[in-house]
Amino acid sequence: MMINTDSLAAVLAAYKKHFPIHWADEKYKWEAIKCFQDHWDITTLNFAEMFHMATGKTSNLLASTNNFPRGMIKDFAQADSEATRAMFINLFDEAKDMVERVEKFQSDAEAIRFKYGEGTWKQHYQNSNSISTYLWLRYPDKYYIYKYSECHAMAKALGSDFVPKKGATSANLVGGFNLYNEICDQLHNDDSLIEQLKSNLTDTCYPDAALKTLTIDVLYFNSHFYSKNGDTAEWFPTDYSPNISVDEWLALLADENVFAKNSLEIMKRMKDYGGMATCTQLAIKYGETSNFYNIGSSSLAKRIADATKCPVMTTDTDNSKWWPILYVGRYADKRTKGSYIWKLRDELCKALEQFDLSEVSLVSPTTKIPDANGYWWLNANPKIWSFSDIDIGEIQSYTLYNDNGNKRRIFQNFLDAKAGDLIIGYESQPVKQVVALAKVTQENDGKNLYFEKIEGLTIPIAYATLKNCLELERMEYFTNPQGSLFKLTKGEFDFIIDMVREENPVARAGPIEAYSKDKFLAEVYMTGERFDTLVSLLKNKQNLILQGAPGVGKTFAARRLAYAMMNEKDDNRIEFIQFHQNYSYEDFIMGYKPQGEGFELQKGIFYRFCQKAANAPDKSFFFIIDEINRGNMSKIFGELLMLIEKSYRGEKITLAYDYSGKPFTVPKNLYIIGMMNTADRSLAMIDYALRRRFSFFEMKTGFNADGFKAYQAKFDYDTFNTLIERIKELNKEIAADSSLGKGFMIGHSYFCEQSECTDEWMMEVVEYDILPMLSEYWFDEPAKLQRWENILRGVFSD
């Protein structure tokens, strides 16, 4: 294996420049090893506690979005400490082949997951990345952290003849470590880099004499920064200056022919933002478009060049030679929207500090009234009221005076709020997150501001998520969080709403197809009288179970029943799930799920759908559960057994897992439809406590329905007509069978939804759908089974 050392030298040169900025965020890698070495003791009695302490500083190395290897090992150790200990004893046995140890670690993890997970541990998360991390922590002078994306990026950058391939775990580990070794050998020749590392290591760090961790960090830097943007740490251009002094800038600022009104606005906003920003950040904070700042800066720079005859950069791109007159720049990192971060040149920045900009507008007037008069961020006071507690459409007041009778700290905001203004609803307890949207309903009366909750967020937006957005770093609440009511610019509001809609999408735009009783009957093959009964049952009870034989179209009918009651095919108001034996309350309502290094309370699918329905109380919503009797319904529904009852709809209770004390309700506009296969003899019937909360409607075979007869007549095919007659005869025998009955008859849906009728299709239905079912029905009556095999196959005989 060979690498391009010149390419590596370029990466290392950029890494050394970036190191002072980079070190503060990445030092934890060296600290993680030190912590592990100090606490690791394979013989300890409490293995789970020891592992937790030893890996206490690994941070995102063993936990990241949707990946929880450390958390699963802790769970494994709680379930079977000795089996988990044995996994690590074998992994750390250097007398054995590395690949064999890694593969056994994975197989042992899967065995523990299967044995103790009870269906809740979906995977063990012990991949090549996490296992190599354990090896690195234990033997930091020998192993590296292998990460596919970082290894792949470096292999490409250095022209290596080894490039990792997806799925080739063993080969990737061996080849990846060889690549890392070649890079590490080159680092040992870089005295300045080694000295840079040594001078920053502290007593809390592992000394890294073998430079293995430094190698890991170089690959991380290349993957996340250098390979994407080049040298992100360096402000450029470094070899150009317009040579304009502070006094000259002051004279230019006073010249209206150079610094026009728009130009001064750009300068004031750059200065207000802290002297450096992307065009996108300026647009979000102060209004206008990104191009306003981009083109405006280039045009200003051209006028400065004409007025001063200053030197101009020579570049192939016309736009790139102008902005360096005003700014130095660098590539924006992955957290920042926009390509470049611009920073005011030092001389220009000093001149702006001396120049009077008091008459220059800071916020663009075009941002004030496109959609609303104003935009606000409002913190709920959980001791008095909560956004989560109030219903959609409910009016809540916000008072100017606090509990002590004093004006709130930010009282001018209170006076500025007007009817129609839009509000981001935020709560800090029990979790910091945006939970609702609201609007101001009337002018404040000097004491109270009234607003209406217009939407509760099914998936709240975490404070940390918003705080991590550089586009919002100058948001009033983030810069000075003292108070309750904070102004938002339209750009900030729109930015937050974009994040809200990513997690809480609204109904699709465009017309929705109408749906009616007639369309239902044409598709479902049921009489009009039975349809009327079906609708009446669901309206009166709000909870309905469709039961019947396989193939009678229960699932098909359930969705179309919802369409018929909505009078339109709006799938945004339908949620469809299927129960199974491992389905739990935590999946359905709420429960704690792995998140990072710990666990986080997460809302289940029914909880979120109830919130969605509550946001539109004037519309009907339908929650459809297939195979409803396959789950332990009392366990899944929990305390909701009471709330789903029609007489308790709208009542509020506190759920078992929700220690915040926030109430939950099943809204009155939500209907539950379940489907149950009566031919499944392996399942117990629904318990009586739940049974009385549902109406039960038997779905019958529809061969005699007008809709099916019309469908059958469309084919005008004798073989199909004969087959249907034989199925009807078969159903009569099944219904008369004392060990079976009507619940085991063959449904019409096996023969539906075909645009063309062929012998091949009908034979497939008979051979692969009907006969296998009959073999289960009459497994102890071979003569009867043989007779019906002959009858059904005989339909296709000449």
Side-chain angles (χ1 to χ4, degrees):
M1 186 183 302
M2 295 291 291
I3 60 175
N4 187 319
T5 55
D6 290 337
S7 297
L8 178 58
V11 175
L12 295 180
Y15 177 78
K16 285 184 281 189
K17 291 180 182 178
H18 192 266
F19 191 88
I21 300 172
H22 176 83
W23 177 251
D25 292 329
E26 305 307 320
K27 177 183 177 183
Y28 77 97
K29 296 171 185 172
W30 287 263
E31 293 178 326
I33 301 174
K34 180 71 164 53
C35 177
F36 187 89
Q37 298 288 320
D38 289 345
H39 293 95
W40 183 256
D41 179 4
I42 197 68
T43 64
T44 187
L45 292 177
N46 192 332
F47 183 85
E49 181 180 346
M50 183 277 295
F51 178 82
H52 177 75
M53 293 179 63
T55 57
K57 292 193 176 183
T58 53
S59 186
N60 63 338
L61 298 177
L62 290 173
S64 58
T65 305
N66 300 320
N67 187 44
F68 318 104
R70 180 174 182 249
M72 287 308 300
I73 292 294
K74 288 191 289 185
D75 287 345
F76 287 176
Q78 293 289 349
D80 193 333
S81 178
E82 293 312 309
T84 310
R85 187 196 311 272
M87 288 170 57
F88 281 92
I89 290 174
N90 184 75
L91 179 65
F92 293 156
D93 186 351
E94 288 292 280
K96 298 178 181 178
D97 178 72
M98 179 192 70
V99 171
E100 291 179 1
R101 285 182 278 151
V102 170
E103 291 176 348
K104 179 168 175 52
F105 193 92
Q106 291 179 312
S107 63
D108 289 346
E110 176 59 20
I112 294 177
R113 183 200 70 82
F114 183 80
K115 183 176 181 180
Y116 297 102
E118 299 181 349
T120 61
W121 293 345
K122 305 302 181 186
Q123 60 169 298
H124 54 68
Y125 300 105
Q126 309 308 311
N127 55 28
S128 56
N129 174 238
S130 58
I131 298 173
S132 67
T133 303
Y134 304 140
L135 288 169
W136 163 75
L137 289 167
R138 182 67 181 87
Y139 303 111
D141 291 334
K142 180 176 181 179
Y143 292 101
Y144 308 91
I145 297 175
Y146 171 82
K147 192 166 187 177
Y148 173 85
S149 59
E150 295 174 8
C151 184
H152 189 275
M154 186 60 96
K156 287 287 190 180
L158 303 186
S160 171
D161 54 3
F162 163 77
V163 177
K165 297 179 180 178
K166 285 285 188 181
T169 302
S170 298
N172 286 348
L173 270 178
V174 174
F177 282 172
N178 288 335
L179 174 63
Y180 285 36
N181 279 333
E182 287 196 49
I183 296 168
C184 188
D185 289 343
Q186 295 298 315
L187 299 191
H188 278 281
N189 298 325
D190 194 325
D191 293 338
S192 62
L193 177 57
I194 295 172
E195 182 57 35
Q196 195 171 27
L197 173 65
K198 287 182 176 179
S199 64
N200 283 277
L201 291 172
T202 64
D203 293 340
T204 63
C205 300
Y206 184 74
D208 196 20
L211 304 185
K212 303 295 184 181
T213 306
L214 182 64
T215 303
I216 295 168
D217 201 47
V218 168
L219 269 83
Y220 168 81
F221 167 77
N222 175 73
S223 172
H224 288 75
F225 298 96
Y226 187 81
S227 64
K228 295 180 179 179
N229 299 320
D231 187 354
T232 59
E234 182 178 359
W235 292 101
F236 55 85
T238 57
D239 55 352
Y240 164 78
S241 171
N243 297 325
I244 301 175
S245 67
V246 174
D247 289 339
E248 289 172 321
W249 277 118
L250 284 168
L252 290 168
L253 285 165
D255 188 343
E256 295 180 357
N257 293 320
V258 177
F259 276 88
K261 175 176 173 290
N262 287 352
S263 303
L264 291 174
E265 289 174 350
I266 294 174
M267 292 298 104
K268 183 171 182 175
R269 293 166 193 175
M270 280 289 292
K271 182 174 177 292
D272 182 71
Y273 208 88
M276 66 177 75
T278 67
C279 293
T280 303
Q281 288 172 323
L282 296 175
I284 287 173
K285 180 63 179 175
Y286 305 107
E288 305 291 359
T289 65
S290 296
N291 276 339
F292 171 83
Y293 299 97
N294 193 343
I295 296 173
S297 293
S298 295
S299 299
L300 170 61
K302 289 178 184 179
R303 294 196 297 272
I304 291 170
D306 289 340
T308 63
K309 308 304 180 186
C310 68
V312 177
M313 280 189 63
T314 302
T315 70
D316 294 333
T317 304
D318 185 65
N319 184 51
S320 297
K321 70 182 181 181
W322 298 115
W323 63 259
I325 294 176
L326 299 164
Y327 315 113
V328 291
R330 72 180 182 198
Y331 292 104
D333 64 29
K334 61 182 180 179
R335 293 170 55 215
T336 311
K337 286 193 173 182
S339 300
Y340 300 103
I341 298 174
W342 282 344
K343 182 172 75 169
L344 290 167
R345 286 197 170 273
D346 290 342
E347 297 82 4
L348 174 56
C349 189
K350 291 176 182 178
L352 288 170
E353 291 174 359
Q354 300 176 37
F355 191 76
D356 182 8
L357 294 171
S358 59
E359 299 299 320
V360 178
S361 173
L362 186 61
V363 178
S364 169
T366 62
T367 65
K368 290 184 179 178
I369 319 178
D371 300 320
N373 293 320
Y375 304 90
W376 305 95
W377 172 287
L378 177 58
N379 293 348
N381 185 342
K383 296 180 181 178
I384 301 174
W385 66 277
S386 165
F387 276 109
S388 301
D389 291 344
I390 59 179
D391 297 326
I392 302 299
E394 186 174 338
I395 304 297
Q396 176 69 38
S397 64
Y398 169 73
T399 61
L400 173 58
Y401 296 92
N402 59 27
D403 297 340
N404 299 323
N406 299 318
K407 281 186 177 180
R408 296 187 182 274
R409 187 176 185 280
I410 305 179
F411 59 85
Q412 185 58 49
N413 286 350
F414 179 90
L415 301 176
D416 290 345
K418 301 292 189 297
D421 287 1
L422 299 177
I423 294 172
I424 300 291
Y426 174 80
E427 293 182 354
S428 58
Q429 294 180 8
V431 180
K432 295 180 177 181
Q433 56 190 4
V434 171
V435 298
L437 303 178
K439 66 178 180 180
V440 178
T441 56
Q442 64 187 66
E443 302 294 327
N444 70 78
D445 57 10
K447 294 182 179 179
N448 296 286
L449 182 68
Y450 297 93
F451 61 90
E452 172 190 353
K453 179 178 175 180
I454 58 177
E455 181 180 346
L457 301 190
T458 302
I459 301 178
I461 309 301
Y463 169 88
T465 301
L466 294 169
K467 189 69 170 67
N468 196 42
C469 296
L470 295 185
E471 292 80 6
L472 300 177
E473 65 181 1
R474 293 306 175 107
M475 201 174 84
E476 188 175 80
Y477 177 63
F478 291 153
T479 58
N480 185 9
Q482 300 301 314
S484 302
L485 185 65
F486 302 86
K487 287 184 178 180
L488 293 171
T489 68
K490 184 178 187 301
E492 290 165 346
F493 179 86
D494 289 343
F495 187 90
I496 296 172
I497 289 296
D498 284 344
M499 300 184 72
V500 167
R501 289 296 167 235
E502 285 180 9
E503 300 294 339
N504 303 268
V506 295
R508 69 182 188 275
I512 298 175
E513 181 182 344
Y515 201 83
S516 63
K517 174 182 176 179
D518 290 341
K519 286 191 175 182
F520 178 94
L521 296 176
E523 292 183 325
V524 177
Y525 308 151
M526 181 185 293
T527 66
E529 292 78 10
R530 284 178 61 77
F531 169 80
D532 292 339
T533 300
L534 189 59
V535 172
S536 177
L537 288 173
L538 186 53
K539 285 184 175 179
N540 290 334
K541 198 87 167 187
Q542 290 202 263
N543 307 312
L544 175 71
I545 288 180
L546 304 179
Q547 60 181 2
V552 294
K554 299 181 290 294
T555 303
F556 186 81
R559 187 176 291 274
R560 279 148 188 81
L561 174 59
Y563 291 159
M565 290 185 65
M566 291 188 289
N567 294 314
E568 59 185 4
K569 298 178 73 170
D570 187 358
D571 287 310
N572 290 294
R573 291 192 271 147
I574 298 174
E575 188 68 63
F576 187 99
I577 65 166
Q578 186 177 66
F579 277 177
H580 51 77
Q581 291 176 343
N582 291 323
Y583 207 86
S584 67
Y585 177 93
E586 289 77 10
D587 299 315
F588 195 60
I589 310 299
M590 66 167 55
Y592 285 91
K593 301 291 181 70
Q595 186 68 30
E597 295 188 4
F599 290 83
E600 180 180 279
L601 184 63
Q602 295 182 3
K603 307 297 193 301
I605 191 169
F606 186 72
Y607 186 104
R608 297 196 303 269
F609 192 70
C610 285
Q611 288 184 309
K612 185 176 182 180
N615 284 331
D618 58 332
K619 293 181 178 292
S620 300
F621 287 74
F622 297 84
F623 195 88
I624 302 176
I625 308 171
D626 196 16
E627 306 283 5
I628 192 169
N629 57 327
R630 283 189 175 274
N632 184 334
M633 292 183 66
S634 295
K635 179 180 177 182
I636 293 171
F637 277 85
E639 64 268 60
L640 263 64
L641 278 177
M642 178 182 75
L643 290 191
I644 64 172
E645 208 169 329
K646 184 176 181 179
S647 60
Y648 288 99
R649 292 297 180 94
E651 295 287 330
K652 296 180 179 180
I653 66 169
T654 300
L655 299 177
Y657 278 107
D658 198 347
Y659 299 116
S660 69
K662 292 181 179 178
F664 173 78
T665 183
V666 178
K668 296 180 179 180
N669 59 326
L670 186 144
Y671 297 84
I672 300 174
I673 304 175
M675 285 83 74
M676 188 169 74
N677 190 347
T678 53
D680 196 334
R681 289 181 281 200
S682 66
L683 301 175
M685 294 300 290
I686 295 174
D687 67 49
Y688 291 106
L690 201 60
R691 175 173 284 275
R692 69 181 182 84
R693 291 171 167 85
F694 283 82
S695 290
F696 287 74
F697 184 90
E698 184 177 359
M699 294 286 293
K700 298 181 179 179
T701 59
F703 294 114
N704 294 319
D706 291 340
F708 187 85
K709 290 179 179 178
Y711 167 77
Q712 183 177 347
K714 179 185 68 174
F715 290 142
D716 190 22
Y717 196 38
D718 289 343
T719 305
F720 184 69
N721 295 338
T722 302
L723 178 60
I724 297 304
E725 289 304 312
R726 298 295 175 269
I727 296 296
K728 290 180 182 179
E729 294 167 7
L730 171 63
N731 278 339
K732 289 179 182 179
E733 185 159 341
I734 291 173
D737 192 316
S738 59
S739 64
L740 297 174
K742 292 182 179 180
F744 290 79
M745 293 195 300
I746 306 301
H748 57 275
S749 67
Y750 288 109
F751 306 96
C752 293
E753 297 188 66
Q754 284 295 118
S755 58
E756 181 182 5
C757 184
T758 65
D759 284 1
E760 290 77 14
W761 163 64
M762 289 185 285
M763 292 171 68
E764 287 178 358
V765 173
V766 169
E767 291 293 337
Y768 301 106
D769 292 324
I770 308 302
L771 292 182
M773 195 179 310
L774 296 183
S775 67
E776 292 186 14
Y777 288 177
W778 291 319
F779 68 94
D780 56 349
E781 297 183 77
K784 184 181 289 188
L785 175 62
Q786 184 64 58
R787 179 167 65 86
W788 275 105
E789 286 179 348
N790 295 337
I791 291 172
L792 294 177
R793 287 169 177 161
V795 171
F796 308 103
S797 300
D798 294 331

